[in-house]
Amino acid sequence: MSKQAFDEACKAQGYERGVTLIGTQQDAYSIRCVDDDGTLQQIDRYEQIHEFVSEACNWTYSGRRNTDRLATMGKTYDAWECASYGSYAGVPDLKGWCESKGLQLINRKEIKYPAYRWFCADSAMSKVEGIPLDKVCEWQFGEDALDRTFNTYGKQVADAWDCFYVT
């Protein structure tokens, strides 16, 4: 998504000034709509930013059923993608993915966002690999499946990730 797309979506929802970023450590969750008087869009739970982005996707790509897809927390507007949502597939099986590679699932607590703490490693921890969630969803549910982070602060896989089918 672009800043312009978020700006237009905010204005369509009645926020006259459009979109802005909040906070000092700006990331994908820093996006807010702002009213003419400077009032910011209220987002109380992390899930609400995903709901807002889905709404922005529906505004930008009307005529299809969209869902938000967070590509990275390290960016702001362009961290978000819009995917054509078919249906829910399930929770990605990270443990099964690691085991299929002869590795074990580990959780690295030093990573800032809990959803991104999952890795595959050998028993000696001499080989540690990141987990490509898009590939896990394809492996588990077929080539039409795609990953989605719905809560980067989720400490369990089921609280942070899901897979869905694209249309």
Side-chain angles (χ1 to χ4, degrees), residues 87-98:
S87 62
Y88 176 74
V91 176
D93 181 6
L94 303 188
K95 182 178 180 191
W97 172 265
C98 291

Side-chain angles (χ1 to χ4, degrees), residues 5 10 15 38 53 64 66 97 100 103 111 132 134 148-149 154 161:
C10 286
Y15 292 93
V53 175
R64 70 178 202 192
N66 296 289
W97 172 265
S100 75
L103 303 170
I111 306 295
D134 57 338
R148 177 177 173 263
T149 312
W161 295 94

Side-chain angles (χ1 to χ4, degrees), residues 96-139:
W97 172 265
C98 291
E99 289 173 354
S100 75
K101 307 234 173 265
L103 303 170
Q104 62 188 359
L105 182 64
I106 64 165
N107 189 299
R108 298 179 67 182
K109 304 280 189 221
E110 70 274 12
I111 306 295
K112 179 178 179 179
Y113 300 105
Y116 299 108
R117 292 179 178 168
W118 301 102
F119 292 83
C120 297
D122 62 11
S123 58
M125 299 292 283
S126 60
K127 178 180 182 182
V128 178
E129 298 178 354
I131 300 175
L133 269 292
D134 57 338
K135 299 297 181 201
V136 174
C137 290
E138 287 178 15
W139 167 78

Side-chain angles (χ1 to χ4, degrees), residues 69-91:
R69 184 164 184 268
L70 181 59
T72 177
M73 278 298 288
K75 297 182 180 179
T76 56
Y77 306 109
D78 58 350
W80 295 98
E81 300 173 350
C82 300
S84 181
Y85 186 87
S87 62
Y88 176 74
V91 176

